[in-house]
Amino acid sequence: IELDVPLVKSYLAQFAARATIAELVSMAELAHPLENGTHFPLFLLCLQQMAKMKDREWLTDLFQQSKVNMQKMLP
């Protein structure tokens, strides 16, 4: 699908960020299917979008509470 829609990961990251901010999905639930760099850099794009939509302090608190291991998110 990336060939047809070059920014598909950015669009998906926006939707995932909005769902996380609205508490429809937790940070851990978002991270789990993306572990080991699956669909890299989608998780990082989600974090970037959340930082744009909310402030960094909010995102830092949410990330620390989620106990997501950032090294597991990389390929």
Side-chain angles (χ1 to χ4, degrees):
I1 192 166
E2 285 183 88
L3 295 174
D4 296 329
V5 185
L7 296 176
V8 68
K9 286 184 180 177
S10 293
Y11 298 140
L12 185 55
Q14 269 188 339
F15 290 124
R18 289 174 195 255
T20 304
I21 289 169
E23 298 180 6
L24 299 173
V25 67
S26 71
M27 179 77 72
E29 291 170 328
L30 175 64
H32 181 69
L34 302 175
E35 286 182 356
N36 300 318
T38 306
H39 306 292
F40 184 81
L42 183 56
F43 186 71
L44 298 177
L45 291 170
C46 291
L47 293 177
Q48 183 181 42
Q49 289 297 323
M50 282 185 255
K52 287 180 183 178
M53 293 177 196
K54 297 283 266 187
D55 60 28
R56 286 186 181 199
E57 184 178 323
W58 175 87
L59 181 57
T60 301
D61 290 343
L62 180 68
F63 187 78
Q64 289 175 347
Q65 291 172 8
S66 72
K67 309 260 191 250
V68 171
N69 182 345
M70 190 55 130
Q71 287 193 340
K72 284 187 173 182
M73 303 312 296
L74 302 173

